[in-house]
Amino acid sequence: DHRDLHSFPTRRSSDLEQTLVARYKPLYEVGQKYPELAEAERKLEEIYRASGKKKIPAQKEVILAAAKAFQSGRKRLVLCGEQGTGKTFMTLGLIGTLPPQRVLIVCPPHLVKKWAREAKETLPQARVFTLNGKGALSSLQMLLDAPGKPLVHEVWVIGRERLKLSCGWEPALMWKKRYPRLNFKKPLPVCPDCGRYQVHKDMLLTK
């Protein structure tokens, strides 16, 4: 009877809850103390003191929960929240609880400066680089020349549009449509540097 099916979740809600809790036990529960998070909590307290940020209990719980998830072997996490909940600070706070490493922040173009400013305020000891605007190539060259892992946190910030569209391109060939010495109507590929026709196995390439 479909009426029984509709009422099933209500009638068996306690059983369903027990099953879900037993099968999908949370890694972190608010209010509980986890000895393995003692170091992360100490680093987070240092971040609060150094940055002068107001301590909001809910943000602290999220940061420690994320730190525990990484400790458990998680490779990726999704932090979702309404505007104004402090996602930027919670992300940077999480970075501060982890060992020194290079972190890439990809954000909307109009938030690049905000992310860089927040990173400097939240993690005063970190090195912060922006890959939008002038100096991006020299920063990347410095990164290429840097040996081994960083000794302090490095935060690299780039706008998503620049990440997608700013790769350097060089033409491999150009299409030429007029040939004074050739009776050929189709466009032919030529070298963009010397202007020679591109051939393959003694035959002209055509478009």
Side-chain angles (χ1 to χ4, degrees):
D1 189 349
H2 69 281
R3 288 174 297 181
D4 290 335
L5 185 61
H6 272 292
S7 62
F8 177 79
T10 304
R11 289 186 291 105
R12 305 303 298 270
S13 58
S14 59
D15 294 335
L16 290 172
E17 180 184 3
Q18 292 177 8
T19 302
L20 288 173
V21 170
R23 185 170 298 180
Y24 303 104
K25 189 175 181 180
L27 289 173
Y28 183 92
E29 294 188 25
V30 175
Q32 289 197 15
K33 286 292 183 180
Y34 296 90
E36 62 271 27
L37 290 178
E39 180 66 14
E41 193 165 1
R42 183 190 65 79
K43 290 181 178 179
L44 186 56
E45 291 296 331
E46 290 181 358
I47 291 172
Y48 281 120
R49 287 195 297 269
S51 65
K53 295 285 187 180
K54 181 180 178 181
K55 189 183 298 185
I56 301 176
Q59 291 180 346
K60 180 180 177 180
E61 297 285 1
V62 171
I63 293 171
L64 293 177
K68 191 171 191 308
F70 279 121
Q71 285 184 5
S72 69
R74 296 285 181 90
K75 299 297 183 183
R76 59 191 66 84
L77 293 172
V78 176
L79 174 58
C80 182
E82 296 288 341
Q83 184 176 356
T85 54
K87 295 185 295 296
T88 301
F89 171 74
M90 288 188 282
T91 301
L92 294 169
L94 172 62
I95 293 170
T97 65
L98 302 175
Q101 56 192 281
R102 294 185 180 96
V103 179
L104 177 64
I105 303 292
V106 181
C107 61
H110 66 283
L111 294 179
V112 170
K113 291 183 179 179
K114 176 183 180 295
W115 266 99
R117 183 179 68 252
E118 290 273 352
K120 292 176 182 177
E121 293 175 357
T122 307
L123 304 172
Q125 304 300 324
R127 303 177 68 192
V128 182
F129 305 89
T130 58
L131 298 177
N132 276 42
K134 297 180 179 179
L137 290 179
S138 59
S139 297
L140 289 172
Q141 184 61 47
M142 181 185 64
L143 175 61
L144 187 65
D145 297 337
K149 296 181 179 180
L151 300 178
V152 297
H153 286 97
E154 293 182 5
V155 180
W156 297 75
V157 188
I158 187 171
R160 64 189 179 200
E161 303 305 325
R162 187 179 182 100
L163 181 67
K164 289 191 300 183
L165 305 174
S166 67
C167 300
W169 288 88
E170 291 185 4
L173 54 84
M174 297 176 61
W175 295 95
K176 188 174 179 181
K177 296 182 179 180
R178 295 186 178 182
Y179 318 96
R181 293 175 296 174
L182 294 176
N183 184 19
F184 207 85
K185 296 181 180 180
K186 291 185 177 180
L188 294 177
V190 298
C191 174
D193 296 320
C194 65
R196 293 182 179 179
Y197 297 111
Q198 303 298 295
V199 298
H200 177 65
K201 294 182 179 180
D202 297 329
M203 297 184 66
L204 286 170
L205 296 175
T206 59
K207 192 171 184 178

